């Protein structure tokens, strides 16, 4: 470390190293407690899929929920126990940055549809930290797209103009009213082309 010791600074500071070790230990403890495996690939970290002792095909359509607005420094050791309250998890996929932070969203597949519906009822708009609320909705085959971290100064007309660069909007009268300033929206994508602003 730099300073009075005169030693060369390592790539990672001591505090960062300790925090990284604590995160790794928490994840290892979760896997040991539950018996689930965890692997990171293609920008996502998969927990489970299938869970220990699972036999047969994966759960049917309608068993997965999308989770948005997750604090970037929150991980499976906190999220999995929260989402297990709704039912048995088949697979938890947390989207990850190369930096090691999460991307602010995840997908949770339950072993049955009832648990997925319970998760939406229990955890949509749940205050996960003081002043931080997560969004939970059904995940349907990549038809719904979450757009988060929209700069506060962006107006609704500016947001719509940006979306039009990628998708053709449905008629304006079909869109719900956006607040003057919004920080996240959901888009319903139809035939990989048309869009409909659905919430936030």
């Amino acid at each position: 470390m730099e300073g009075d010791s005169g030693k060369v600074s390592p790539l990672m500071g001591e505090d960062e190293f300790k925090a990284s070790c604590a995160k790794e230990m928490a994840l290892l403890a979760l896997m040991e407690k539950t018996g689930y495996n965890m692997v990171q690939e293609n920008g996502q970290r998969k927990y489970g899929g299938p869970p220990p002792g699972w036999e047969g095909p994966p759960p049917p359509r309608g068993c997965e929920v999308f989770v948005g607005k997750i604090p970037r420094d929150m991980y499976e050791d906190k999220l999995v126990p929260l989402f297990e309250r709704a039912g048995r998890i088949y697979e938890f996929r947390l989207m990850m940055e190369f930096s090691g932070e999460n991307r602010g969203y995840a997908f949770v597949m339950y072993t049955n549809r009832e648990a997925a519906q319970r998760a939406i009822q229990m955890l949509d708009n749940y205050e996960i930290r003081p002043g931080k609320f997560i969004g939970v909705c059904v995940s349907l085959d990549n038809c719904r797209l979450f757009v988060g971290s929209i700069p506060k100064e962006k107006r609704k007309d500016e947001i719509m103009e940006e979306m039009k660069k990628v998708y053709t909007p449905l008629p304006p009268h079909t869109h719900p009213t956006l607040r003057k300033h919004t920080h996240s929206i959901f888009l319903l994508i139809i035939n990989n082309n048309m869009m409909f602003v659905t919430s936030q």
Side-chain angles (χ1 to χ4, degrees), residues 27 30-31 33-39 45-52 76 80 84 89-94:
L27 294 177
L30 174 68
M31 290 189 302
K33 177 184 171 189
T34 63
Y36 281 63
N37 292 322
M38 191 179 300
V39 62
R45 194 157 57 201
K46 294 182 184 179
Y47 168 86
E76 293 90 345
V80 166
E84 279 180 332
I89 294 173
Y90 177 84
E91 179 180 73
F92 188 102
R93 294 183 294 128
L94 183 62

Side-chain angles (χ1 to χ4, degrees), residues 67-126:
V67 186
K69 300 188 264 184
I70 299 170
R72 298 293 182 105
D73 60 346
M74 185 172 281
Y75 301 97
E76 293 90 345
D77 59 305
K78 303 292 186 202
L79 295 166
V80 166
L82 175 66
F83 281 87
E84 279 180 332
R85 294 181 195 171
R88 187 175 184 208
I89 294 173
Y90 177 84
E91 179 180 73
F92 188 102
R93 294 183 294 128
L94 183 62
M95 303 302 118
M96 301 294 293
E97 299 281 10
F98 288 114
S99 66
E101 286 189 326
N102 75 62
R103 292 185 184 176
Y105 66 100
F107 296 89
V108 186
M109 182 180 288
Y110 287 95
T111 56
N112 58 67
R113 290 185 181 106
E114 293 76 22
Q117 286 302 311
R118 215 170 13 255
I120 294 167
Q121 292 167 1
M122 291 171 57
L123 300 171
D124 185 36
N125 208 32
Y126 178 82

Side-chain angles (χ1 to χ4, degrees), residues 26 32-33 36 45 63-64 86 111 142 146 148 153 161 188:
E32 187 174 320
K33 177 184 171 189
Y36 281 63
R45 194 157 57 201
C63 293
E64 187 174 69
T111 56
N142 298 323
F146 174 77
E153 66 274 6
E161 283 304 312
L188 179 62

